[in-house]
Amino acid sequence: MPTGVHIRDARAQLFDAAERVLLRDGANALTSRAVTTEAGCAKGVLHRHFADFDAFLAELVLDRVGRMDDRTAALRESAGAGTVAGNLTGALTSLFESVALALVGLIAARDELRARLRRDLPAGVPVLTEAAIMIAAYLTAERDLGRIAPDADVDTLAAMLIGTTHLLYAGHEGTPPETEAVRKIVTTVLSGAVPRT
């Protein structure tokens, strides 16, 4: 990009470029040069907006975690409609076929990034923790509607669903598992919590 040309919403462009590099080439390929090349801008643009590359990556993760609020709202709104297993299968498939899985790998690979994220997200694994909160909120809504057993431990169920689905997706870059494999996880985890009709 020529010097002096204004970039509209540079942060968003850089975040989107980083996501594309991460999804296409993996965490090891994610460098400041790769991001700025993908965004079509000079390397200095990234450093004008962020103290260093790890600060950029931390803001990227926090931005993508913040976007989970929309997913959470949409999933909660589906409570009472369709089937619990169908809603959860769709939500988990959508989550793990997004950038979430790649972000977890990135966080695991970079010590400084983990340290920075601990300041804002002190517990759990960023992205996976927020995903479990999303699933627990949905299960709570379904429990309130009587579609989940009243004594169901929604936090434990959510953690089991996120952890097991994460294990299913790990190592499947480029060829995600079949939807039916996710549905099997959901129905197995929920087998004692969904009242029989």
Side-chain angles (χ1 to χ4, degrees):
M1 167 154 290
T3 304
V5 175
H6 177 70
I7 300 174
R8 188 177 298 243
D9 202 0
R11 289 172 59 92
Q13 286 186 30
L14 291 167
F15 288 161
D16 291 346
E19 186 174 304
R20 289 191 301 273
V21 171
L22 188 58
L23 288 171
R24 183 182 63 233
D25 303 323
N28 290 333
L30 195 61
T31 63
S32 59
R33 174 68 67 202
V35 171
T36 54
T37 299
E38 182 73 22
C41 65
K43 189 173 180 183
V45 171
L46 189 144
H47 295 289
R48 245 190 322 275
H49 293 276
F50 303 93
D52 56 36
F53 193 57
D54 282 311
F56 167 76
L57 293 176
E59 289 296 322
L60 169 67
V61 172
L62 292 172
D63 179 77
R64 290 338 192 215
V65 164
R67 290 183 177 193
M68 291 190 75
D69 291 345
D70 291 338
R71 286 180 188 263
T72 300
L75 183 57
R76 280 190 71 145
E77 288 172 14
S78 73
T83 66
V84 174
N87 293 340
L88 286 170
T89 299
L92 290 165
T93 300
S94 174
L95 173 71
F96 283 103
E97 289 180 2
S98 73
V99 73
L101 189 63
L103 287 174
V104 171
L106 176 67
I107 294 163
R110 296 185 70 103
D111 294 338
E112 178 59 27
L113 174 57
R114 276 194 314 280
R116 287 177 191 240
L117 288 170
R118 283 283 168 247
R119 297 175 201 152
D120 294 304
L121 305 169
V125 177
V127 180
L128 295 181
T129 298
E130 288 71 27
I133 291 167
M134 173 185 75
I135 299 298
Y138 167 74
L139 290 172
T140 298
E142 290 288 18
R143 186 177 61 192
D144 292 346
L145 293 170
R147 295 186 354 141
I148 294 287
D151 61 346
D153 181 346
V154 296
D155 293 324
T156 299
L157 291 171
M160 290 170 62
L161 288 166
I162 292 299
T164 308
T165 307
H166 178 241
L167 288 173
L168 177 68
Y169 272 83
H172 283 274
E173 293 83 5
T175 54
E178 296 289 325
T179 302
E180 197 50 44
V182 178
R183 185 180 309 281
K184 181 179 179 185
I185 288 171
V186 171
T187 55
T188 302
V189 169
L190 295 182
S191 63
V194 176
R196 299 202 183 274
T197 54

